[in-house]
Amino acid sequence: MSRYWTNKIASLDPYVPGEQPQDKQYIKLNTNESPYSPSPKAIAAMQAQVSDDLRLYPDPNCQALKNALAQNYDLSANQVFVGNGSDEVLALAFMGYFANGKPLAFADITYSFYKVYAGLYGIEPKLIPLTDSFDIEPSDYENLDVSGVVVTNPNAPTGKALPLSDIERILTANPDVVVLVDEAYVDFGAQSAASLVNTYPNLLVVQTLSKSRALAGIRVGYALGHPDLIEGLERLKNSFNSYPIDRIALAGATAAVEDDVYLKDICAKTINTREKTVLELEKLGFSIIPSATNFVFVTHPEKSAESLYLSLKEQGILVRYFGNKPRIGEYLRITIGTDEEMAALVEVL
Ligand SMILES: *Cc1c(COP(=O)(O)O)cnc(C)c1O
């Protein structure tokens, strides 16, 4: 606390990322990073950027990256926005589309950063409870008087995916506001709403290179939507920071997006390891929610989540524990690592 802090700063309740302890080498299964290296083509492209050219500003419009993404999703470049991680894209979208005085609808159990952005911009969350089986019930998203809707698909930390028909139901029920679909984990087994962008002018699809493309370290995320929605985000971005994506990140992200073969390969490996891990954990008595992501959300009928979390940490394995959160305090979220890392986890458990 400082006497120079404004009431605004004092009122904030910032996001706390998963722990990154430096005391020893852990098997890190707590922040949903990829256990695989990024595409070799992305690494080569980034290495080539470490040159004299770094004295120059990057392309403020990120055109090469937008073109690559547009081609990937069969859209036009003016339907693509890129930002410094999808967290930045979300922050701009919340400021631009949801801070209009009405509450913003999202699930009670979902990515906890949404509440933080809501607090930052003075948006009142309208929390819509997941069902007892942790499902999003589309009919709960009808007849809302809200500034917008955020749906995470697949949801985090539950790992459950919604079919596109349910996303469409939510879109058609809310034609007057932006429906933001956060697809951070979509490549691990769900259907992307990117194919609906040309049909629904109120749809904003947000994705990241941090999870399936194994590039959390360069901070690149993006949004897909109607050109007018994208232009709105550009206006905000250019009123804040013209160059949020540096030259190295831009080159790496573009090469990674162009390397679809590599993406499919490492996602297939993760999905394969996930399914094997689920069977092993079931043998140990865990109940596991069916996951369409690179993590599993698990609970044990006899062992408390806290005791499991603490003993795993003591033995060098980090997982995410939600002790202070309602409804999910007895669950652990475990990132899918390599086969060897998951074998070590099962052994300790
Ligand atoms: C990881 C994650 C993000 C943030 O991704 P970055 O691109 O690394 O900022 C956004 N939404 C969800 C649901 C996530 O899990």
Side-chain angles (χ1 to χ4, degrees), residues 179-197:
V179 174
L180 188 157
V181 184
D182 184 345
E183 297 187 337
Y185 301 102
V186 76
D187 295 327
F188 298 106
Q191 286 174 287
S192 174
S195 59
L196 303 177
V197 160

Side-chain angles (χ1 to χ4, degrees), residues 53-76:
D53 284 351
L54 288 178
R55 70 202 161 77
L56 302 170
Y57 282 111
D59 170 13
N61 195 35
C62 303
Q63 200 59 50
L65 177 55
K66 285 182 184 174
N67 291 346
L69 286 164
Q71 188 165 13
N72 222 330
Y73 296 100
D74 220 356
L75 296 168
S76 316

Side-chain angles (χ1 to χ4, degrees), residues 15 31-32 83-90 110-114 117 152-157 182-185 206-211 215-217 219-222 294-295 333:
Y15 181 74
T31 50
N32 296 343
N84 191 268
S86 59
D87 285 338
E88 185 183 70
V89 178
L90 292 168
T110 189
Y111 187 38
S112 46
F113 223 138
Y114 304 147
Y117 297 129
T152 316
N153 193 37
N155 198 10
D182 184 345
E183 297 187 337
Y185 301 102
V206 176
Q207 291 197 15
T208 175
L209 274 66
S210 297
K211 314 280 168 52
L215 280 168
R219 312 300 303 124
V220 178
Y222 53 96
N294 66 338
F295 57 84
R333 191 196 67 193

Side-chain angles (χ1 to χ4, degrees), residues 42-60:
I43 293 180
M46 290 188 278
Q47 279 166 341
Q49 281 302 310
V50 181
S51 73
D52 274 4
D53 284 351
L54 288 178
R55 70 202 161 77
L56 302 170
Y57 282 111
D59 170 13

